[in-house]
DNA sequence: ATGGATTCCCACCTGTTCGCTAGGGTTCCC
DNA sequence: GGGAACCCTAGCGAACAGGTGGGAATCCAT
């Protein structure tokens, strides 16, 4: 259950775009510098986001990238889906397409419940929420439990 | 956010062991056959579970594997941690060891909340729960929402 | 409008991990 | 002793993480 580097970088880049939201676009290298991301790797990720309709790009003199929609209308899940495919998958396929037999039959509902849980978090948090440091109450309630911060 | 093949296979093998829980151990190939898992690959996974103290192995004539503890006392999270390391990681490291700057600062609490959420599910479900098809109410409540089963 | 300068865009190239296979060694029971 | 099973190691193809280099397009200045 790991968040890939692509997903983490993509969300951070999107947050940077959501923050510096004035008329002028932001250069890829500026984002890479601010967030400490390999800038050539980041270019490929921004390209995916452009093809997915999340950002707009501008070439030339002082071009760069900017969000295609308002930060309130882009969820963290949207960003992850664009660069990484399905939010949560088992062995590369989405839960409803799996089939289990014997004593593992109830494993499918478990994965589905897990996915629903992850969706509740990531679909319900927008870039604006994170950038303004004001997470929804369902999320902040979890972070206030000190046990959430201990390792295993 | 993907469940690796190792983790999926490990849980299914553990469920098979929890089901056929009489005196005699279960052979790796019998498990591989019942759950349709490549049997040589499964042997490596069972080996990890042995080193992690989840199963006991018996060589020779009619040997095999059996659980080291009661199925009620092994959680799905225990199995995944043994074969795959930390339950949820970002770019390979655990959330508390990350550091974000600028508008991405609140990304850390978000990952922590996500991990806490996943723990609530996987730490709270035992092999016995899944094998008997009686998931805890917190989990079954999620699966009863039809929206949980739709793709995105 | 022409020539830089700047930026996006595209194609390879190296290491590492993930799934998976193959084969031989070791231990146990009959 | 001899099967039958576990155990260890090596390796292979694909995908992922990260780098490099060179275009192709666009803007700004002159």
């Amino acid at each position: 259950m790991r968040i890939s580097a692509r997903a983490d970088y993509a969300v951070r880049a999107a947050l940077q775009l959501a923050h510096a939201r004035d008329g002028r676009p932001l250069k890829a290298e500026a984002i890479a510098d601010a967030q400490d991301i390999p800038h050539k790797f980041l270019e490929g990720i921004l390209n995916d986001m452009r093809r997915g309709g999340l950002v707009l790009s501008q070439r030339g003199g002082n071009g760069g990238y900017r969000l295609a929609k308002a930060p309130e209308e882009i969820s963290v899940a949207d960003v992850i889906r664009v660069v990484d495919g399905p939010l949560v998958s088992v062995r590369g396929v989405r839960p409803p397409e799996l089939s289990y037999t014997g004593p593992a039959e109830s494993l499918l509902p478990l994965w589905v419940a897990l996915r629903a849980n992850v969706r509740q978090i990531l679909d319900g948090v927008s870039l604006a929420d994170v950038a303004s440091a004001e997470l929804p109450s369902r999320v902040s309630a979890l972070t206030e439990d000190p046990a959430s911060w201990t390792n295993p």
Side-chain angles (χ1 to χ4, degrees), chain A:
Chain A
M1 283 248 53
R2 73 182 287 168
I3 309 275
S4 72
R6 291 182 69 80
D8 182 53
Y9 291 162
V11 174
R12 282 157 64 187
L15 287 172
Q16 202 78 33
L17 289 173
H19 182 249
R21 183 167 172 73
D22 42 5
R24 304 195 315 277
L26 218 58
K27 301 175 203 177
E29 190 154 9
I31 303 174
D33 209 53
Q35 286 294 326
D36 199 41
I37 301 173
H39 78 286
K40 283 304 219 175
F41 191 37
L42 177 62
E43 276 194 10
I45 293 168
L46 287 167
N47 220 327
D48 286 346
M49 290 206 260
R50 179 183 57 86
R51 274 192 284 260
L54 290 185
V55 304
L56 302 173
S57 65
Q58 177 88 7
R59 298 212 225 196
N62 42 10
Y65 295 89
R66 61 186 199 277
L67 292 181
K69 294 185 285 187
E72 290 82 9
E73 290 173 5
I74 302 178
S75 71
V76 175
D78 289 335
V79 178
I80 296 179
R81 284 202 190 94
V82 160
V83 299
D84 250 10
L87 247 199
V88 28
S89 69
V90 178
R91 245 160 56 235
V93 309
R94 286 176 290 210
E97 294 157 11
L98 297 164
S99 83
Y100 293 115
T101 64
E105 263 179 15
S106 286
L107 198 50
L108 180 53
L110 180 61
W111 294 148
V112 169
L114 184 67
R115 179 174 76 158
N117 225 13
V118 171
R119 280 182 181 175
Q120 277 186 7
I121 299 282
L122 297 184
D123 260 329
V125 176
S126 71
L127 294 179
D129 291 335
V130 182
S132 68
E134 285 173 10
L135 299 176
S137 56
R138 183 198 286 113
V139 177
S140 56
L142 285 165
T143 65
E144 278 158 18
D145 183 355
S148 300
W149 295 82
T150 64
N151 263 339

